[in-house]
Amino acid sequence: MLKRNKNKILNNVPNILVTCLLILGTVIMVFPFIWALSVSLQGPGLAYITPPRFFKAPFYFSNYSEAFAKANMFRYFLNSLFIAVLNIIGAVASNSFIGFGFARYQFKGSQVLFFTVLCTMMLPGNITAIVHYIMWQNVGALDTYIPLIVPSFFGSAMMTFLFRQHFLSIPTDIYSAALVDGASPPRIFMQVYMPMSKPIIATVTIQTFLNSWNNMFQPLIYLTTKSKYTISVGLLYLKGTFETNNTEILIAASVLAMLPAVVLYFFAQKQFVQGMVSAAVKG
Amino acid sequence: MTKKHQLWGWFFIAPYIIGFSIFTLSSVLFSGYLSFTEYNLFNPPKWVGFRNYINVLTDVSLWTSFRNVFVYGFINEFLQLFLGCILAVALNRKMKGTGIFRTLYFLPVLTPMVAISFVWSYIYNPSYGVLNYLLSFLGIGPFKYTFSSNWFEFVVGVALMNAWKGLGYIILYVLGGLQNISTEVMEAAEVDGAGPVRKFFSITVPLLSPTLFFLLVIGVINSLQVFDQFYIMAQSANTGANIKVVGTLIYENAFVYNKLGIGSSIAWVSFIVMAVLTWIQKRMEKRYVHYA
C-alpha cells in the first residue's frame, strides 16, 4: 500500500514538469498568432508605439474591411481559390488514375517507370524551374494561370505513390470479379476503386490545397499583372504600400491569408496530419 | 488477355509518361544543356563550355550564399531536432490534453510563409517590435534580427522563425517514431533501474535514430533549397549582397537579370552539393543509425 503511494507521487511530479514544459512550448508557438491578432485590431499609428499595446481597446475591426477594400485582398483570395480548386481537381484525378495504373498493372515496363517516380521525388525543383519558365514563355503562357494549373493534371510523385499504396491494399479479387461481370477497367476504377478511397482523396485534397495556397515561388515568377496576383504575391506587393504607415492593415491581411488553412485544419485534422507526413519529400 | 492487360496499364500510366517526359526528363536534360550556354530568352542559347561554371565558382557571392545556407541549415536543424525530440517525448506520455498541445504546435506548419514572415518581421522590428521589449526584462539585447546589416544576425533571425514554423512537423514525425518503440523495452529498462534521463539517451535516442536520420536528410535538402523566407525577409534588411542564399542567386540570375544559363549552372552546383551531402550522410548512417 505504502509502496504504491510512493510510486504515485514519483509519477506525478514529472507530469507537472512535463505539463509546464508543454505549456511554455504552447505559449511560444501560439504567441505570434495572438500578437498578430492584437496588432490587427489597433488604431492608426498605435502599432508603432513602445511599450507595445496588447489587446487594448478601442478595437478597430475596420482594419479587416480596409484590407479587403483598400488592399484588394478579396481579389487575391478569389485568384488563389480558383487556382487551388483546379489544382485539387487535377491532383485527385491524375494521381488516382496513375496510381491505379501502377498498382493494378504490374509488368516490366511499368515497374521501370515506377522507379522513375521514386527518383523524381528526390529531384530538386531548382533544376527544372528555369526550363519550365522557358517552356511556358514559348507557348505564350507567361502572366496566365496555365503554368500554375496544368502541371497538376499530370500527377506528382508523392501523391501518385500514396494512391498506389492504397490501391495495392485492395484485394485483386475485387478487380477480377468486376472484370468477369463485364465492367471495363475505367469503370472499375471509377465505380469500385474510387469510392473505396475517400480517406486518400481527402488527404490529397488538403495537401494540394495547402501547397497551392502557400505557393509563392511560381506565382512570383509567372504573374506580372497585379489583378492576377495570388494571396502570397499579393501580400508581398502590399508590404511596400502599408508597412511604413499602416502596418496594422498589413497584419490584418496576413491574418486573413492564414485563416483558410487554420479553419480547414480544425475541421479535418486527421487528413492534414496524414498529408503532411506523406509530403515529407517536397523537393 | 495479358496483352490487353498491359495495354490498360499503359492507358492508366499515360498521363504520368507525358508529364514525366515534358516536365521532368526533358527539363532536366535541357537544364543541363542550358548551364553550358549563354541565354537571355531572346537570342538562341550560345554554347560557352565551362565558362558559366568557372564564373559562378570564382564569384564570391556563391560562397557567401553557401555559407548563409549552411549556417541557416545548422541552426534550423539543431533547434528543430533538439526541441522536437524533447517536446515529442513529453507529448508521448499518457496525459490528458496532449491532443490540444499537438494541435497548437502544428498550426504554424500550415500557414503561408509570407504571412508568417510579416508577423515575425513586426515582432522582430528593432524600433517597435515586441521581442526586444520582452527580452529587455531579462537584460538581453537589443538585437536587430532580420533588420540587421550583419549577415549573421539576419540568418539567425530567419533560422529562428523557420525553426518555429516547422517544429510541429518534426514533432509529428518523432511522435510516429516513438510510437514504434515497444513499451516492453522501456519496462525492462525500468526494472533494471534506469532513470528517465538514462532511458532517454540509452533507449529512446538510439531507437529513434532512423527517424532522426530521415529528418536530417530531408532537412539538409530543404535547407539547401531555401528561398521564400530569405526573399521575403531580405526586403526589410539593411544590406543586400551578403544575406543571399543559393535560391536567391538562382532566382535573381534567371528571372531578374535574364541570365538563364548562369542560373542553371548555379542550380546544378547546388544539386551536386546536395547529392554529395546526402551521400556523406548515407555513409554515416551505417555508423550512427541503429535499425532495430
Side-chain angles (χ1 to χ4, degrees), chain A residues 21-149:
Chain A
L21 178 79
L22 289 175
I23 289 173
L24 180 71
T26 309
V27 169
I28 296 171
M29 293 313 276
V30 173
F31 176 76
F33 293 114
I34 304 289
W35 196 250
L37 270 181
S38 155
V39 177
S40 71
L41 295 173
Q42 297 291 309
L46 295 176
Y48 301 96
I49 289 177
T50 29
R53 293 156 54 95
F54 184 62
F55 280 116
K56 255 189 196 161
F59 296 121
Y60 283 70
F61 290 98
S62 58
N63 287 341
Y64 283 91
S65 47
E66 294 257 310
F68 273 121
K70 272 195 200 161
N72 227 355
M73 280 300 280
F74 191 61
R75 181 81 215 209
Y76 303 148
F77 252 80
L78 282 184
N79 292 346
S80 276
L81 194 67
F82 175 73
I83 297 168
V85 167
L86 285 171
N87 276 332
I88 289 168
I89 295 171
V92 171
S94 64
N95 290 303
S96 59
F97 198 77
I98 301 162
F100 182 75
F102 279 125
R104 250 330 123 238
Y105 306 93
Q106 295 191 352
F107 49 94
K108 222 175 179 181
S110 84
Q111 260 148 14
V112 171
L113 275 169
F114 186 67
F115 180 71
T116 68
V117 174
L118 299 177
C119 291
T120 318
M121 284 187 205
M122 312 291 169
L123 188 78
N126 272 346
I127 297 281
T128 48
I130 294 173
V131 179
H132 290 171
Y133 183 83
I134 297 169
M135 269 167 31
W136 292 120
Q137 191 239 9
N138 274 320
V139 296
L142 295 189
D143 202 26
T144 71
Y145 294 147
I146 292 170
L148 308 176
I149 292 167

Side-chain angles (χ1 to χ4, degrees), chain A residues 15 18 22 26 28-29 39 47-48 51 97 105 116-117 124 127 132-133 214 235 265 269 272 276-277 280, chain B residues 5 12 16 23 27 31 34 93 95 101 103 105-106 109-110 118 122 128 133 164 169 172-173 225 255 271:
Chain A
N15 260 1
V18 167
L22 289 175
T26 309
I28 296 171
M29 293 313 276
V39 177
Y48 301 96
F97 198 77
Y105 306 93
T116 68
V117 174
I127 297 281
H132 290 171
Y133 183 83
N214 294 349
L235 273 179
Y265 175 55
Q269 243 189 81
F272 260 88
M276 289 320 275
V277 171
Chain B
H5 190 71
F12 281 105
Y16 171 74
F23 295 117
S27 294
S31 159
L34 266 189
R93 304 181 70 142
M95 247 168 36
F101 289 122
T103 307
Y105 289 168
F106 200 64
V109 176
L110 312 164
F118 287 177
Y122 181 76
Y128 49 77
Y133 176 73
W164 172 84
Y169 179 69
L172 191 73
Y173 243 92
Q225 293 202 76
F255 304 112
F271 175 62

Side-chain angles (χ1 to χ4, degrees), chain B residues 69-85:
Chain B
V69 164
F70 285 128
V71 171
Y72 160 83
F74 182 80
I75 297 170
N76 182 42
E77 286 307 303
F78 175 77
L79 285 175
Q80 283 192 341
L81 291 179
F82 181 71
L83 297 175
C85 275

